[in-house]
C-alpha cells in the first residue's frame, strides 16, 4: 500500500542533526521524517553520537493538526562565521513536550524543513479529505514529499526548482521523482554519500555475509528516552575515541577543539561493542569517527601550518650514593650563560636505606627537590610540572613559567626491575608531556650493577621499554617509543670489558679516552643492537664518572678496587635534536659518582593559528568528499591462528598483515564482544590494537599469547582453554572475525599446593583429565593422613623442596640473594625443568632459582596462609602465641610449606654478613607472597594491613630455633 506521496509504508524519508536547547544547555539530537503506516511522524533520537553503542528510543511526534513548527528570529552575533550559522525552531506536537532546537543553516537543513512543511501540509490535506461535507480548497492537490537529492548529482538543494504547492516560508525547497527509499539509504544520502550508495552497500553486504554466519550478534536492548535534566546538570559527553597508536605524531599535538570550539564526542572502544545492524541504521551519526580521521589527516599535513622553533633543554643525571646535598648544585644546574627553557633532572640512589627499598617514604626526597629549586638558572623563573620517585630514582621536570601554558598531557610512570619485576632498587621512572605540538618523554633509569651483569642490564632496558606505559584519561595508552623525542638518562651501569683497573687508570691519565671507549659495554651493546640500538649518544670527552672516593676526586681505593667506568649516560632519539654540550661536573664531590649533563637545542612544532584554521577547513571539506564517494575497505592476510604448546611465562607471537585496499584512509580497532569489557582474554594481546591506514598502506599486527600468574590457574584447571575470537572493527565498514586457538601445556606454577602434594610425577606426565579431577577434588586431600602409603600425599610439593634445597645447599652466602632478579631465559629453563622432570640439580644461577621460588609462591591460586584466615592473621600479628595457633589451623600442605620456608629463611639470616639479607627485608618480601588478601578485597589493602602481615612473618623469623 502506498500513501498519496507515492512512498512505501514505514520509511525513513530524511534525517538531519540538531541540538536541543535546555535552559542554555545544548544536547545533540537526530531528527527523522518517517512515513509510518501512511502517516507522517517526526522522530527525535537522543544522543546520536552514541547511538551505535547506546541506542535510545525515538520520541515520536505525529505530524497532524496539533503539530506546530515555528522558526524563531535570528539573534545578532558579534562574530559570525558563515559555516557555523544556525537557525532555531520550536516544535509542538501531540504526546510530546515543546522542543526548542538549533540546526545548522545549510542546504541539508533547509531541505529537511521543506520536506517537514510539505508533510505537515499533506497531513492537513488528508484531514480535510476525511471531511466530505467541507469543500476542498483550490490548491488541495499536493505534490509528493520531496526526497533528499544525492550529492553526486551535482546540484544542491538550493538549486532545485521549488515545489509548486509548498508554502513560502523562507526555506529552500526542492522536489524529486517518486522512489522507494530504505532507511539506510536515506540516512546515507542525508549524510553525504554518493548516488551510487545502494551499489556500494550491496558490495559491503556481500563481504559481511560470511562474518554474519560465523558470529551473529543481536543489537543491544533499546532503553527509553532520557529524562529532561535540571538547568544545572551538564550534558554527558561521550568518551573520546582511541586515536592512532601506530604512529606517535598523530597521537599528540593537535587539538581540533581549538578550532571548532567543541569537545570531542567520539566513542571509547573498550565500552562500545558495535553490531553491523546498528551501524547500518545510523551509518554516519558518529562524529567521533570524523574526529579521528580529522586528527589523522591534520597530522599528515602539519608541515603546512606548523613552524619549527628551537628551545633549549637541560638534561642532567647524578647517582648521589644515598647522601644528602651538602653543597650548591649551581656548577651542575646553572653553569651556562643562557638559561634553559626546560629542565629534566634525574637522580639515582637518592636513599639507600632499607625503608626506601621497601617502598617507604624517603626523608631525602624533599631535601634534593629543595636543592634543585634553589639552583635552577637565576636568569629565569621556573615551575616544576612533575616529580616522580621510585625508591632511590627520582625525576624532576621544570619549565620556564612563561611556557607552562604550552605544556599539556603531562603523565608519569615507573617500572621496578628488581626481584619479581617489582622491587624498585633498580628500574626506571619517566615523565612525558606535549610541548606545543611536539611530544617528549624523559626516562631516568638505574640498571643492574656489577661488571659481569651486562645481559641483566640489557634485560632491564627491555623491561622498562615494554612495561613503561602512560595512561591518560580519554586517550589510549602510550609507550616510550611513541613520542617525537625521547631522552634517556641515568646510571646505566655499563662498565669496561675485561680491563685491568691499573691499565684503565693509566690510560685515563694519558688522555687515551677514545681507545678506552672501545671497551665500553654500552657502546658495544648499541653496535650489536642488543640494547639502545635506536638511541644516539654524543661524543664522550670527559673522564669516567665512577667510582670515586666520596668528597674527593680520587679513584676508589677500597678492597673492591672498582674499575673506573662511564656509568652515567644521556642518550636520545628523535628528529630536530641537536646536542650542544655533553659533559661531567667534577666540581661536585658529594657522591662516588660525578654528575653529567647535556644541553640540547630541540626543534619544536609550533602551530600558526591562521594557517592551521585554513588547513582545518580544507580537511573538513576533504572528509566530506571522501564520505561522499567511498567506503573504507581492508583485507587481512590471515584470520585463523593456532599457537602450539603454550607455556607459562613464555611469549608466543603470530603476525598478520592488514592492507587498506580502498580509496580513503580508514581507522581500525579491536572491539569487545557483547557483554564483555575487554576485546580479548587476559592471556592474549594485539599490538597495535587500533590504528590508521592510508590507501594502499600495509601494517603488521602481532597477536601475542602470554600466560601470566593471572591466567595460569584457570588454564591449569581446565576452566579456560586457548580459544578466543577477536573482532576487528573498521569504521564505517565491516567487522572481521579472527579465530585464536592453541594447546596449553600445564605447569606446576599456578597449581594448588594440595594438588601438587598428590602428584608423585612431573605435571606434564599426568593426563590432563586426571589433573583436572585432582584439582576439583583437592578438598578431599586436605588432611590425607589416614590414606594408604601409595595414596598418601607428599608432606610438601616436590617442586618446593627442589628449589629450596638448591638454595639451601648452594646459595646461603650468595651476595644480594632475593634482591637481584634472575635472567628470563634461565627462569624459563627452570620452570620447564620442574614441569617435565624431577631433576637432581636445577639449571641457572642462584638468583634465577631464588626468583623462581618467589614466582611459584606468587602464582599459587591460594596463598600459603589461606584467604579465609587472612583477616585473623592480621588481628593476631602482635601475639606470637596466636600466630602459632593460626598456622596450626592451616590445611596440611599449607602448614608444612609455611614451616619449611620459615626454617630455610631463618637459616639464611645466619649468613647475613655475606648475603646482605636482614630480617625486615625478608619479612617484607615474603609477607606479600605468603599472606595475600582475598582478590575481592585486595584493592582495599592498606599500608597498615601490609605492616601487620610483615610483623606476622617477622615474629617467626626472630623466634628461637626451638620455635
Amino acid at each position: 500500500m502506498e500513501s498519496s506521496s507515492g512512498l512505501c509504508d514505514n520509511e525513513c524519508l530524511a534525517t538531519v542533526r540538531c541540538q536541543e536547547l535546555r535552559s542554555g544547555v545544548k544536547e545533540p539530537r537526530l531528527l527523522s521524517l518517517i512515513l509510518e503506516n501512511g502517516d507522517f511522524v517526526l522522530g527525535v533520537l537522543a544522543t546520536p553520537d552514541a547511538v551505535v553503542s547506546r541506542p535510545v528510543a525515538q520520541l515520536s511526534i505525529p505530524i497532524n493538526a496539533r503539530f506546530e513548527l515555528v522558526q524563531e528570529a535570528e539573534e545578532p552575533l558579534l562574530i559570525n562565521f558563515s559555516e557555523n550559522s544556525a537557525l532555531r525552531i520550536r516544535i509542538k506536537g501531540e504526546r510530546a513536550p515543546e522542543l526548542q532546537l538549533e540546526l545548522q543553516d545549510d542546504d541539508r537543513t533547509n531541505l529537511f524543513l521543506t520536506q517537514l512543511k510539505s508533510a505537515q501540509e499533506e497531513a492537513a490535506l488528508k484531514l480535510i479529505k476525511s471531511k466530505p461535507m467541507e469543500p476542498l480548497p483550490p490548491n488541495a492537490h499536493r505534490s509528493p514529499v520531496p526526497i533528499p537529492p544525492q550529492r553526486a548529482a551535482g546540484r544542491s538543494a538550493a538549486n532545485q526548482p521549488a515545489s509548486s504547492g509548498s508554502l513560502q516560508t523562507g526555506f529552500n525547497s526542492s522536489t524529486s521523482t517518486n522512489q522507494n527509499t530504505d532507511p539506510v539509504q536515506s540516512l546515507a544520502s542525508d549524510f553525504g554519500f554518493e548516488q551510487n550508495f545502494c551499489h556500494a552497500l550491496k558490495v559491503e553486504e556481500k563481504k559481511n555475509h560470511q562474518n554474519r554466519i560465523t558470529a551473529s550478534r543481536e543489537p543491544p536492548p533499546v532503553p527509553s528516552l532520557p529524562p529532561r535534566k535540571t538547568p544545572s546538570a551538564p550534558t554527558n559527553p561521550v568518551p573520546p575515541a582511541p586515536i592512532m597508536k601506530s604512529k606517535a605524531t598523530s597521537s599528540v599535538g593537535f587539538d581540533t577543539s581549538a578550532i571548532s570550539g567543541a569537545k570531542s564526542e567520539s566513542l571509547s572502544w573498550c565500552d562500545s561493542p558495535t553490531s553491523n545492524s546498528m551501524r547500518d541504521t545510523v551509518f554516519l551519526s558518529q562524529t567521533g569517527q570524523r574526529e579521528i580521521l580529522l586528527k589523522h589527516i591534520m597530522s599528515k599535513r602539519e608541515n603546512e601550518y606548523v613552524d619549527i622553533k628551537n628551545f633549549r633543554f637541560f638534561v642532567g643525571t647524578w647517582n648521589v650514593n644515598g647522601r644528602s646535598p651538602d653543597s650548591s648544585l649551581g656548577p651542575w644546574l646553572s653553569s651556562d650563560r643562557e638559561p634553559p627553557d626546560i629542565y629534566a633532572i634525574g637522580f639515582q640512589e637518592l636513599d639507600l636505606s632499607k625503608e626506601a627499598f621497601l617502598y617507604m617514604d624517603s626523608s631525602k626526597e624533599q631535601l634534593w627537590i629543595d636543592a634543585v629549586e634553589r639552583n635552577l638558572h637565576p636568569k629565569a623563573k621556573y615551575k616544576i610540572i612533575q616529580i616522580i620517585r621510585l625508591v632511590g630514582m627520582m625525576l624532576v621536570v621544570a619549565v620556564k613559567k612563561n611556557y607552562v601554558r604550552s605544556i599539556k598531557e603531562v603523565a608519569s610512570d615507573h617500572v621496578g626491575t628488581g626481584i619479581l619485576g617489582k622491587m624498585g632498587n633498580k628500574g626506571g621512572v619517566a615523565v612525558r608531556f606535549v610541548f606545543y605540538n611536539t611530544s617528549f618523554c624523559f626516562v631516568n633509569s638505574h640498571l643492574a650493577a656489577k661488571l659481569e651483569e651486562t645481559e641483566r642490564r640489557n634485560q632491564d632496558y627491555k623491561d622498562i621499554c615494554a612495561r613503561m606505559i602512560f595512561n591518560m584519561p580519554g586517550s589510549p595508552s602510550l609507550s616510550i617509543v611513541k613520542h617525537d623525542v625521547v631522552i634517556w638518562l641515568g646510571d646505566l651501569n655499563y662498565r669496561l670489558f675485561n680491563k685491568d683497573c691499573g691499565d684503565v687508570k693509566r690510560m685515563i691519565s694519558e688522555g687515551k679516552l677514545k681507545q678506552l671507549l672501545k671497551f665500553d659495554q654500552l657502546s658495544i651493546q648499541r653496535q650489536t643492537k642488543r640494547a639502545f640500538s635506536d638511541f644516539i649518544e654524543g661524543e664522550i670527552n670527559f673522564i669516567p664518572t665512577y667510582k670515586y672516593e666520596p668528597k674527593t676526586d680520587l679513584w676508589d681505593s677500597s678492597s673492591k678496587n672498582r674499575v673506573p667506568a662511564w656509568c652515567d649516560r644521556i642518550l636520545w632519539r628523535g628528529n630536530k635534536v641537536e646536542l650542544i654540550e655533553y659533559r661531567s661536573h667534577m666540581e661536585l664531590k658529594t657522591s662516588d659518582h660525578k654528575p653529567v649533563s647535556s644541553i640540547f637545542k630541540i626543534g619544536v612544532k609550533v602551530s600558526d593559528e591562521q594557517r592551521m584554521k585554513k588547513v582545518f577547513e580544507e580537511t573538513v571539506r576533504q572528509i566530506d568528499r571522501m564520505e561522499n564517494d567511498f567506503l573504507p575497505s581492508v583485507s587481512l592476510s590471515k584470520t585463523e591462528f593456532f599457537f602450539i604448546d603454550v607455556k607459562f611465562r613464555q611469549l608466543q607471537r603470530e603476525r598478520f598483515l592488514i592492507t587498506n585496499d580502498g580509496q580513503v584512509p580508514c581507522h581500525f580497532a579491536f572491539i569487545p564482544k557483547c557483554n564483555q569489557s575487554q576485546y580479548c582474554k587476559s592471556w592474549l594481546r594485539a599490538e597495535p590494537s587500533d590504528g590508521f591506514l592510508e590507501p594502499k598502506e600495509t601494517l603488521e599486527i602481532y597477536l601475542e599469547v602470554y600466560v601470566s600468574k593471572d591466567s595460569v590457574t584457570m588454564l591449569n584447571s581446565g576452566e579456560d582453554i586457548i580459544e578466543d575470537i577477536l573482532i576487528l572493527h573498521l569504521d564505517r565498514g565491516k567487522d572481521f572475525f579472527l579465530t585464536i586457538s592453541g594447546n596449553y601445556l600445564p605447569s606446576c606454577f599456578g597449581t594448588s599446593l594440595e594438588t601438587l602434594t598428590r602428584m608423585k610425577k612431573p605435571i606434564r606426565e599426568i593426563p590432563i583429565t586426571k589433573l583436572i579431577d585432582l584439582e576439583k577434588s583437592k578438598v578431599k586431600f586436605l588432611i590425607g593422613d589416614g590414606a594408604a602409603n601409595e595414596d598418601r600425599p607428599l608432606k610438601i610439593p616436590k617442586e618446593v623442596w627442589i628449589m629450596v634445597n638448591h638454595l639451601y645447599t648452594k646459595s646461603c652466602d650468595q651476595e644480594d640473594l632475593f634482591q637481584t632478579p634472575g635472567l628470563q631465559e634461565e627462569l624459563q629453563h627452570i620452570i620447564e625443568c620442574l614441569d617435565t622432570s624431577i631433576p637432581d640439580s636445577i639449571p641457572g644461577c642462584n638468583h634465577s632459582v631464588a626468583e623462581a621460588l618467589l614466582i611459584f609462591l606468587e602464582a599459587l591460586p591460594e596463598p600459603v596462609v589461606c584467604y579465609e584466615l587472612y583477616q585473623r592473621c592480621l588481628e593476631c600479628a602482635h601475639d606470637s602465641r596466636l600466630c602459632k595457633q593460626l598456622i596450626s589451623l592451616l590445611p596440611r600442605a599449607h602448614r608444612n610449606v609455611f614451616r619449611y620456608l620459615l626454617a630455610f629463611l631463618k637459616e639464611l639470616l645466619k649468613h647475613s654478613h655475606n648475603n646482605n639479607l636482614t630480617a625486615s627485608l625478608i619479612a617484607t618480601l615474603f609477607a606479600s607472597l605468603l599472606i595475600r588478601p582475598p582478590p575481592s578485597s585486595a584493592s582495599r589493602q592498606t599500608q597498615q594491613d601490609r605492616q601487620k602481615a610483615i610483623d606476622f612473618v617477622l615474629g617467626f623469623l626472630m623466634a628461637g630455633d626451638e620455635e
Side-chain angles (χ1 to χ4, degrees), residues 217-230:
R217 289 176 291 155
E218 293 296 324
V222 180
S224 58
L225 192 69
R228 286 183 176 271
K229 302 174 185 176
T230 60

Side-chain angles (χ1 to χ4, degrees), residues 49-60:
D49 292 333
V51 69
V52 171
S53 61
R54 298 181 291 277
V56 179
Q58 288 183 338
L59 175 65
S60 297

Side-chain angles (χ1 to χ4, degrees), residues 359 415-423 467 821 851:
Y359 290 103
V415 170
T417 59
I419 198 77
L420 279 180
K422 293 180 179 178
M423 290 300 184
R467 294 165 48 204
E851 185 165 10

